[in-house]
């Protein structure tokens, strides 16, 4: 078996797409994850990372010998060098098809079930370009603004970013000197002008609060959020996810509903409107600043309680990976939060990329909800949690997927789970 090392070039047939934006290829028994390739292509791949003995090597397609019909000429002049987009070389319809294949593959492997999902565009999409309203750019030692190449700390200076909304672009060519800073967070909120936050934020510096808005069928209103806080970056995404989640969850007046990993309260507000003044919404969020904004954003709704806590602590289950060298638990199990209800009618969760995990999922099913809606930015985490939900008697009933991050490999899913006994 020939050993390959960084810089070597090999001719390979490109196999299927894999999670992470690359395709799988093999060379003399070695697995290569090849970026900027497409299934069915024949390419020259240059090894970019890995060594003899590694399970796989990373590589980049540097020459296309046989092109896929899905290949297009990348609209962005930095494509292939900038680490921000993986799919600029792929037609938009094929990007969505590939994302659907990844979701299907993750469910087959991790949840051991077949799913058939189409990835829908988010309303307002402009051919996959000019959608990003929040972006972090890097600053090099000479103060030039740019992006990091894939898995690199170097800075590629850029004067435009085609997936960023137009309002973000002037920040890339500003004469402003940002001495001592390593990056810039640039935000174009729904209301007001572009905000630039130099990074790292120095102690004593205030991060501005911006106003974002949701204009969907289930919710139309504004939200306050820190310029560095969590907010969906595609302008149509928040409303799309709120509409999809509520359509699947079907919260009813008077019900008790949990909104877990609730951020600044986008779903909380929509749920509060649905359950009305006789219902109850418990929003749980670990970030202190987001919790302050969620309280302000939801102040008008009676029956909403915003709790600042980790979801696992709130439910009184162990945190993951908190074991000492001998396997002993490093931390006492937290007491269940006094506001954690013994039962919940419905649960919405929108965890970070790591997912909710087995202990949280198990604790949720113990609340015997009629329905659980899971909003997921990582299909692998969703598929793993789908398996845990299945073990506890909750089956996947509906799966929807959205292209909220065109030109990148990212995909957002909204999934409905219901008790097997109720179906
Ligand atoms: C994907 S965001 C969703 C936020 C919100 N649902 C929205 O749509 O704007 C995930 C949120 O979970 C929070 N978070 C991360 N880990 C958490 C944990 N263990 N417990 C509670 N919140 C957590 C993050 O601070 C972030 O606000």
């Amino acid at each position: 078996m020939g050993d390959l090392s960084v810089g070597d070039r090999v001719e390979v047939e490109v196999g299927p797409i894999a999670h992470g934006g690359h395709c799988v290829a093999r060379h003399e028994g070695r697995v290569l994850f090849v970026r900027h390739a497409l299934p069915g292509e024949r390419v020259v791949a240059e090894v970019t990372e890995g060594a003899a003995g590694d399970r796989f090597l990373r590589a980049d397609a540097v020459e296309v010998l046989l092109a896929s019909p899905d290949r297009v000429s990348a609209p962005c002049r930095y494509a292939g060098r900038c680490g921000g987009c993986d799919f600029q070389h792929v037609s938009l319809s094929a990007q969505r098809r590939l994302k659907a294949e990844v979701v299907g593959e993750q469910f087959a492997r991790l949840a051991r079930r077949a799913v058939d999902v189409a990835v829908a565009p988010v309303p307002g999409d402009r051919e996959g370009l000019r959608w990003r309203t929040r972006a972090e750019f890097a600053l090099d030692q000479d103060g030039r603004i740019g992006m990091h190449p894939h898995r690199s700390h170097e800075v590629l200076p850029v004067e435009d970013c085609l997936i960023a909304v137009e309002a973000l672009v002037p920040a890339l060519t500003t004469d402003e000197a940002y001495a001592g800073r390593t990056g810039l967070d640039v935000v174009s909120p729904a209301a007001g002008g572009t905000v630039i936050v130099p990074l790292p934020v120095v102690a004593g510096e205030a991060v501005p609060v911006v106003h974002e808005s949701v204009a969907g069928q289930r919710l139309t209103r504004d939200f306050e959020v820190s310029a560095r806080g969590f907010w969906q970056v595609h302008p149509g995404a928040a409303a799309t996810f709120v509409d999809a989640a509520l359509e699947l969850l079907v919260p009813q007046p008077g019900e008790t509903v949990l909104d877990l990993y609730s951020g600044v309260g986008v779903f909380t507000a929509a749920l509060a409107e649905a359950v009305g003044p006789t219902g109850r919404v418990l929003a749980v969020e670990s970030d202190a600043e987001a919790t302050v904004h969620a309280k302000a954003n939801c102040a008008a709704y009676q029956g909403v309680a915003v709790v600042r806590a980790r979801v696992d602590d709130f439910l009184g289950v162990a945190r993951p990976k908190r074991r000492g060298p001998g396997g002993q638990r490093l931390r006492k199990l937290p007491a269940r939060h006094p506001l954690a209800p013994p039962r919940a009618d419905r649960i919405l969760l929108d965890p970070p990329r790591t997912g909710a995990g087995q202990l949280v999922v198990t604790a949720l099913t113990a609340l015997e909800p009629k329905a659980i809606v899971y909003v997921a930015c990582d299909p692998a985490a969703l598929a793993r949690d789908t398996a845990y939900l299945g073990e506890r008697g909750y089956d996947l009933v509906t799966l929807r997927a959205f292209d909220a991050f065109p030109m990148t490999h990212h995909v957002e899913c909204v999934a409905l789970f219901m008790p097997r006994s109720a179906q």
Side-chain angles (χ1 to χ4, degrees), residues 230 261-263 266-267 284-287 309-311 350-352:
F230 182 87
Y261 311 91
S262 50
V266 180
F267 292 109
V284 184
E285 163 62 44
S286 61
D287 182 74
R310 287 176 55 108
V311 168
D350 182 10

Side-chain angles (χ1 to χ4, degrees), residues 200-216:
V201 175
V202 175
E205 251 173 12
V207 174
V209 173
V210 297
H211 287 85
E212 297 287 5
S213 70
V214 173

Side-chain angles (χ1 to χ4, degrees), residues 78-371:
Y78 304 109
R81 291 177 293 147
C82 167
C85 290
D86 328 277
F87 280 171
Q88 289 260 350
H89 63 294
V90 189
S91 74
L92 202 49
S93 59
Q95 291 181 26
R96 292 177 180 147
R97 193 165 19 85
L98 292 177
K99 293 181 195 198
E101 282 173 27
V102 167
V103 173
E105 189 265 329
Q106 295 298 306
F107 269 81
R109 201 161 58 77
L110 300 168
R112 305 228 169 273
R113 60 160 297 164
V115 294
D116 188 13
V117 69
V119 175
V122 166
D125 192 70
R126 295 191 279 162
E127 292 301 306
L129 301 176
R130 299 290 183 214
W131 51 269
R132 218 183 153 96
T133 57
R134 296 176 161 236
E136 183 174 329
F137 297 101
L139 281 166
D140 71 9
Q141 285 179 339
D142 300 322
R144 287 176 306 181
I145 300 166
M147 298 285 290
H148 292 299
H150 184 58
R151 296 172 68 81
S152 163
H153 295 298
E154 282 171 26
V155 178
L156 168 76
V158 300
E159 293 187 343
D160 193 0
C161 168
L162 286 189
I163 61 168
V165 290
E166 287 88 343
L168 258 56
V169 178
L172 296 171
T173 49
T174 170
D175 289 334
E176 186 86 34
Y178 294 104
R181 308 297 183 128
T182 56
L184 300 177
D185 244 352
V186 189
V187 180
S188 168
T194 303
V195 171
I196 300 178
V197 184
L199 303 174
V201 175
V202 175
E205 251 173 12
V207 174
V209 173
V210 297
H211 287 85
E212 297 287 5
S213 70
V214 173
Q217 290 169 8
R218 307 278 174 156
L219 188 72
T220 299
R221 49 157 296 170
D222 291 349
F223 290 84
E224 63 170 57
V225 51
S226 160
R228 298 214 68 219
F230 182 87
W231 187 263
Q232 290 293 344
V233 291
H234 193 299
T240 302
F241 302 160
V242 165
D243 286 348
L246 267 82
E247 192 182 310
L248 296 177
L249 194 64
V250 205
Q252 299 295 311
E255 287 188 333
T256 295
V257 182
L258 296 188
D259 177 16
L260 305 176
Y261 311 91
S262 50
V264 296
V266 180
F267 292 109
T268 316
L271 293 168
E273 297 206 356
V275 300
T278 56
R280 216 165 143 233
V281 183
L282 281 159
V284 184
E285 163 62 44
S286 61
D287 182 74
E289 214 175 342
T291 315
V292 168
H293 293 305
K295 284 183 178 162
N297 289 328
C298 296
Y301 302 111
Q302 312 168 29
V304 167
V306 178
V307 177
R308 182 192 163 195
R310 287 176 55 108
V311 168
D312 38 20
D313 289 354
F314 178 80
L315 296 166
V317 301
R319 294 182 181 191
K321 297 198 185 111
R322 297 286 267 177
R323 304 253 166 201
Q328 79 280 19
R329 191 173 279 140
L330 288 178
R331 197 169 167 276
K332 257 183 34 199
L333 266 188
R336 213 176 140 76
H337 194 279
L339 286 180
R343 304 261 328 250
D345 293 302
R346 294 167 209 269
I347 298 174
L348 190 152
L349 70 157
D350 182 10
R353 301 195 66 72
T354 44
Q358 187 170 19
L359 295 180
V360 164
V361 158
T362 302
L364 296 184
T365 58
L367 304 180
E368 300 179 2
K370 295 178 196 115

